[in-house]
Amino acid sequence: MQLWICPILAFLLGSIPFGLIIARMKGIDIRAHGSGNIGATNVLRIVGKKYGITCLFLDLLKGYIPMVIAINLIQIDGKAIVPHLGFLDSLAMELPASEQFKGQLVHVVTALCAILGHNYSPWVGFKGGKGIATSAGVVLGLMPFAVILLIAVWGLLFLITRYVSVASIGAAAALPVLTHVGARFHKNDAGVSLWEADTWNKPLFFFSVVIAALAIWKHRTNIRRLMDGTEHRFTPKSKA
């Protein structure tokens, strides 16, 4: 049951259009304003800062919560789970190290379903956001340390360019690189790198390539606007 319930739950949670709901509470159809996107960036621009931040946090949770559930329900070789959800212990499936690939594959399929749910929500005609916040949520569940580095990449690119789209595209492109580097430097109990021991998380790497490509594809209109010089650029508000 755990092998299929996790991806389904992830898609359903990911499909909740928080941006649309938050804007509707203010009497605004976010799809008819700004970029027409239901993600946090457009909500921030059109509805306001606190609503955009709320949307960002909720969209991130749509990715993080399914991952925490999946990692607790499908455990590999009895490894410690952080955070540990004790109420799921009776439902947990513990796979031996020999079935590591199966567990890793279910984890990344769950992650991908959460992102696809956000990007192609059935509640809004199979449309949605660009998936950056939800992707950050699933990455936070799968490899927390990478999120710190991705935030640094995003922040640096945003400070340099003042374009949210450039920062998001750059962070997405950096994810497969960080995943590969992590496999090279992360060591097992014997002190051998996971790459050399050939026990590195192959599904996670291919997942990182897929979601990076998906994120960049979802930004294709932004790329066109960047090339045309019409992309919206955040500029500090001048003080009176």
Side-chain angles (χ1 to χ4, degrees), residues 8-235:
I8 292 175
L9 177 63
F11 184 85
L12 291 176
L13 285 175
S15 70
I16 301 173
F18 283 120
L20 182 65
I21 294 170
I22 290 170
R24 279 278 174 83
M25 291 173 64
K26 299 296 293 181
I28 299 171
D29 184 350
I30 195 67
R31 296 170 295 181
H33 298 273
S35 65
N37 193 277
I38 66 171
T41 301
N42 201 36
V43 172
L44 185 147
R45 290 188 190 125
I46 305 302
V47 189
K49 184 176 180 180
K50 67 178 181 179
Y51 300 102
I53 293 174
T54 299
C55 181
L56 176 68
F57 180 69
L58 292 173
D59 282 349
L60 186 145
L61 285 180
K62 292 194 308 187
Y64 181 68
I65 291 175
M67 288 319 307
V68 171
I69 292 173
I71 293 171
N72 274 269
L73 282 179
I74 304 169
Q75 302 179 21
I76 302 171
D77 201 22
K79 293 181 180 178
I81 302 299
V82 180
H84 176 228
L85 303 180
F87 65 91
L88 291 178
D89 284 348
S90 61
L91 299 174
M93 171 189 289
E94 187 172 313
L95 298 175
S98 59
E99 295 188 46
Q100 170 182 289
F101 183 85
K102 179 195 291 186
Q104 293 170 340
L105 185 61
V106 175
H107 290 164
V108 301
V109 169
T110 298
L112 183 59
C113 284
I115 297 167
L116 291 175
H118 174 79
N119 288 359
Y120 305 101
S121 173
W123 313 117
V124 287
F126 292 96
K127 297 179 181 179
K130 294 183 172 68
I132 297 300
T134 304
S135 296
V138 301
V139 173
L140 183 62
L142 286 168
M143 40 181 177
F145 183 68
V147 174
I148 299 174
L149 298 176
L150 290 174
I151 290 174
V153 171
W154 191 97
L156 179 62
L157 289 173
F158 179 72
L159 287 174
I160 293 172
T161 68
R162 308 302 296 183
Y163 289 114
V164 171
S165 56
V166 171
S168 299
I169 292 168
L175 179 58
V177 177
L178 292 177
T179 306
H180 174 75
V181 171
R184 292 276 188 176
F185 284 91
H186 193 86
K187 297 183 179 180
N188 58 22
D189 295 337
V192 180
S193 76
L194 300 182
W195 183 269
E196 293 175 351
D198 198 32
T199 57
W200 58 286
N201 195 331
K202 299 176 182 68
L204 181 59
F205 175 72
F206 288 109
F207 163 75
S208 70
V209 172
V210 169
I211 65 168
L214 183 62
I216 294 171
W217 169 253
K218 292 290 284 185
H219 280 86
R220 61 192 183 279
T221 55
N222 302 84
I223 294 172
R224 281 198 291 268
R225 288 196 294 268
L226 284 166
M227 295 174 67
D228 295 338
T230 58
E231 175 72 335
H232 178 83
R233 187 175 189 177
F234 276 90
T235 53

